[in-house]
Amino acid sequence: QEIADKALRDRIVDEPDLEGACLVLMETSTGAIRAMVNLVRDEKTGQFEEYQNLAVGRKNEPGSVFKTVTLMSVLNDGFIKSLDEKIPTNNGKIAGTGVTVDQHIIDYQARNHTREISIIDGFKMSSNYVFGTLAVSNYKGKKGAMRYIENIHTYNLADAFDFDLDGLLKPTIPTPETRYWTDTDLATMGYGYSTEETPLHILTFYNAIANKGKMMKPYLVEDNGPSILNGAVCSRAVADT
């Protein structure tokens, strides 16, 4: 715990605009939480103190870390077989949406003299266009969108699972059944916006990939021991990919 606290403080001490940060260390094969540090800046002193559990009690738009959720979804559903597969660059504009043009794609086109981009190159540059397009092109219409959202539920990114500490927030996942819906909503979800997740949810998802598809439930109390949230959020082959 002390090592984790120092490591986090060293990384954020020179960030004057930072409100707070958290660090959670999870044992891959068991789900055991070995350290959990939550630092929030005191408005009066300007110092970072631990008085709010950001890891479980704060949810925000996850941003680019959610692109892996979309990637897992299209791999699991068989829409893509390899990260070397290519899609048209389309000048960085996601067809049928009002999403702002992705400048990374414009630069990629000019630099590589091409009108195609591989999934892996889009992942490397964290392209909103690539992952918004993967969502929109493969999960069209209400039925398709609901399939994508069902996958999010399967990955335990839509519910507040049981945890040893009180206060784990339920993620916010919009659906066509609860709001006016367009492909723009699906595109922004595809690259990590229009949703809200806690850090613990994101950690649990990534830990499942590291654990070859087996999702372990995070726990703090040693007597509780390891338990499985989902034995196969993806195949070993998808996790390896």
Side-chain angles (χ1 to χ4, degrees):
Q1 184 74 11
E2 290 179 2
I3 293 170
D5 184 281
K6 183 179 185 305
L8 185 58
R9 288 180 188 275
D10 287 347
R11 292 300 299 269
I12 66 177
V13 66
D14 294 326
E15 299 291 341
D17 297 326
L18 198 63
E19 176 191 350
C22 66
L23 186 158
V24 186
L25 182 63
M26 184 176 181
E27 192 170 77
T28 305
S29 61
T30 67
I33 301 298
R34 298 306 186 190
M36 178 179 283
V37 181
N38 295 274
L39 300 176
V40 180
R41 191 187 300 277
D42 186 288
E43 293 183 359
K44 294 181 179 178
T45 66
Q47 301 300 307
F48 287 106
E49 305 293 344
E50 184 148 1
Y51 58 82
Q52 180 185 4
N53 194 316
L54 303 176
V56 303
R58 179 75 69 88
K59 61 180 181 178
N60 292 97
E61 289 180 319
S64 290
V65 294
F66 205 76
K67 288 170 181 168
T68 311
V69 177
T70 300
L71 184 59
M72 182 184 285
S73 188
V74 294
L75 284 166
N76 276 343
D77 289 339
F79 292 122
I80 65 171
K81 306 294 185 183
S82 166
L83 300 189
D84 293 322
E85 291 181 30
K86 296 182 177 182
I87 62 173
T89 51
N90 198 38
N91 292 315
K93 180 70 171 68
I94 303 172
T97 74
V99 177
T100 304
V101 169
D102 185 341
Q103 185 61 42
H104 292 302
I105 296 297
I106 302 297
D107 296 340
Y108 181 89
Q109 288 178 163
R111 185 170 60 252
N112 294 282
H113 309 287
T114 182
R115 294 288 174 169
E116 291 183 320
I117 184 170
S118 67
I119 306 302
I120 188 62
D121 281 348
F123 195 59
K124 288 176 182 178
M125 71 171 67
S126 192
S127 167
N128 288 354
Y129 165 77
V130 168
F131 286 87
T133 296
L134 285 176
V136 170
S137 61
N138 293 302
Y139 298 101
K140 295 177 181 178
K142 181 178 179 180
K143 184 177 180 180
M146 290 305 299
R147 171 63 184 175
Y148 177 69
I149 291 162
E150 286 169 9
N151 289 344
I152 293 173
H153 279 266
T154 298
Y155 308 153
N156 284 287
L157 289 166
D159 300 294
F161 49 80
D162 183 36
F163 185 56
D164 296 346
L165 295 178
D166 290 337
L168 179 61
L169 297 182
K170 179 179 179 178
T172 300
I173 306 294
T175 80
E177 296 179 341
T178 59
R179 56 180 280 185
Y180 175 73
W181 187 266
T182 69
D183 281 347
T184 298
D185 297 290
L186 184 57
T188 56
M189 283 184 69
Y191 56 78
Y193 294 89
S194 302
T195 64
E196 291 182 325
E197 299 283 347
T198 73
L200 190 63
H201 279 89
I202 295 296
L203 170 63
T204 302
F205 171 75
Y206 272 85
N207 193 78
I209 299 173
N211 201 31
K212 303 302 182 185
K214 183 186 290 186
M215 179 173 282
M216 306 304 295
K217 189 177 91 168
Y219 70 95
L220 286 162
V221 180
E222 201 67 31
D223 287 347
N224 290 344
S227 61
I228 298 171
L229 279 175
N230 187 328
V233 295
C234 66
S235 68
R236 188 183 186 97
V238 167
D240 287 342
T241 300

